Amino acid sequence: MKKEKKKLKLNEMIVFIAFAVLFLVFSITLRNVGLGFANIDNLMNILRQTCLIAIMAVGMTFVLGTALIDLSTGPIVACSSLICALLVQSFGILPGVLGTLLFGAAAGALNGFLVAWLKMPPFIATLGTQTVFMGVARTMTNLKAVPITNKTFTAIFGGGSVGPVPSVFLWMVVIFVLGLVLMRKMPFGRKVLAVGGNARAAFYSGIKIERIQMQVMVIMGVLAALAGVLWSGRFGGGRYTLGEDSGTSVIAASVLGGTSMFGGVASVSGAIVGAVMIGMIDNALVMYGLNVHQQMIVRGLVIIVAVAISTSREKVR
């Protein structure tokens, strides 16, 4: 256990060092582009763009920590944004938000049932549900966007700010604190890492593996739904494309942050830093003048590097 804690601290140190180096490089090389990379307005823009990825990365940290994976998060976000918009417009803020989170929990429970109880490989199971939710998002409103005119909702959920701080950042902080406490201070976090590190040993120690797997999938589903709520609040409505392509960024953020794709090692704080790193890279690519296709190449390379780092960490274990 002490060895794992030291390894986790080392992984966290690496991601923080990489974050500092990237920030320094971008600040120097892009200081004369526009108002500069390190301009406060640009940094706040990066935060707005990455907070939702960071929120989902917290959930993905629990999923990967259990040696599972969830590919369906992006389409769940898209469905959630539409469900939230429809419910808020028809029934108000509280029913809209609660109904959307309930959908996220149900979506996560479906993934958990397939993986934990039917014993389907998580990659295949969530690839299937990814396609299902993608189709649902497209048929729900016949590809039409659903606007949200409730200004109170948009102010609280993603579109407003408290002074200079975007409200979506405050939501990220809340989820970060809850995730950190759950992972480091509660028995659930230790069980997650035990299941991911050695499922057989966890079983013989009395941990109900299926229950833990179901719970982490439900957590992921709820956080993806919350991201959908915040996305709809930020953009003033729901749309089938909102957050649909965010799944790979969520996984990359968690892995860059020190979470092993093979389970047993996970870092909530690292996932947040990893998400902001990806946001910084995306922002810098635009400032460097790369076109959309070139940006896709770099993002793909970032994901490859993230997986390579995770694999190399596993070899050291």
Side-chain angles (χ1 to χ4, degrees), residues 162-197:
V162 180
V165 181
S167 59
V168 69
F169 175 77
L170 300 178
W171 281 102
M172 185 198 73
V173 171
V174 170
I175 297 303
F176 164 66
V177 172
L178 291 176
L180 195 64
V181 171
L182 194 60
M183 180 64 78
R184 291 192 174 183
K185 303 298 182 181
M186 304 294 287
F188 177 74
R190 293 191 289 273
K191 291 178 181 179
V192 164
L193 299 182
V195 171

Side-chain angles (χ1 to χ4, degrees), residues 56-71 122 183 192-197 213 216-217 220 247-267 271 306-307 310 313-314 317:
M56 289 191 287
V58 171
M60 190 61 70
T61 296
F62 284 90
V63 172
L64 294 177
T66 322
L68 302 176
I69 195 168
D70 188 351
L71 302 179
M183 180 64 78
V192 164
L193 299 182
V195 171
Q213 291 175 332
V216 296
M217 284 300 195
M220 184 70 258
T248 52
S249 294
V250 171
I251 295 172
S254 299
V255 174
L256 280 174
T259 297
S260 171
M261 293 191 69
F262 302 95
V265 177
S267 172
V307 175
S310 178
R313 286 169 179 159
E314 185 65 18
R317 290 178 62 186

Side-chain angles (χ1 to χ4, degrees), residues 31 33 70-71 78 90 112 148 166 200 203 230 241 252 256 266 269 282 287 293:
R31 65 184 182 278
V33 179
D70 188 351
L71 302 179
S90 300
I148 297 178
R200 178 172 294 182
F203 173 78
L230 296 171
T241 55
L256 280 174
S269 57
D282 287 343
M287 296 184 72
H293 307 295

Side-chain angles (χ1 to χ4, degrees), residues 47-162:
L47 276 181
R48 289 189 186 93
Q49 293 175 346
T50 58
C51 281
L52 302 181
I53 298 297
I55 287 172
M56 289 191 287
V58 171
M60 190 61 70
T61 296
F62 284 90
V63 172
L64 294 177
T66 322
L68 302 176
I69 195 168
D70 188 351
L71 302 179
S72 67
T73 53
I76 291 176
V77 171
C79 288
S80 298
S81 74
L82 289 167
I83 291 171
C84 183
L86 291 169
L87 292 178
V88 169
Q89 290 295 78
S90 300
F91 303 104
I93 297 176
L94 187 59
V97 174
L98 292 180
T100 305
L101 296 181
L102 183 60
F103 162 75
L110 172 61
N111 286 332
F113 174 75
L114 296 176
V115 171
W117 301 106
L118 295 187
K119 305 301 181 183
M120 292 180 63
F123 183 90
I124 300 300
T126 58
L127 181 62
T129 55
Q130 176 194 58
T131 306
V132 170
F133 291 130
M134 195 177 295
V136 170
R138 280 162 168 72
T139 57
M140 191 180 303
T141 59
N142 294 320
L143 303 182
K144 295 180 180 178
V146 181
I148 297 178
T149 57
N150 191 312
K151 294 183 178 179
T152 302
F153 172 84
T154 55
I156 296 174
F157 295 97
S161 60
V162 180

Side-chain angles (χ1 to χ4, degrees), residues 268-290:
V268 172
S269 57
I272 299 294
V273 177
V276 178
M277 281 177 61
I278 291 176
M280 288 197 315
I281 293 171
D282 287 343
N283 182 268
L285 294 179
V286 174
M287 296 184 72
Y288 281 131
L290 274 66

Side-chain angles (χ1 to χ4, degrees), residues 297-316:
I297 294 172
V298 176
R299 290 192 191 100
L301 291 174
V302 169
I303 293 172
I304 291 173
V305 169
V307 175
I309 291 173
S310 178
T311 304
S312 64
R313 286 169 179 159
E314 185 65 18
K315 290 179 179 179
V316 174

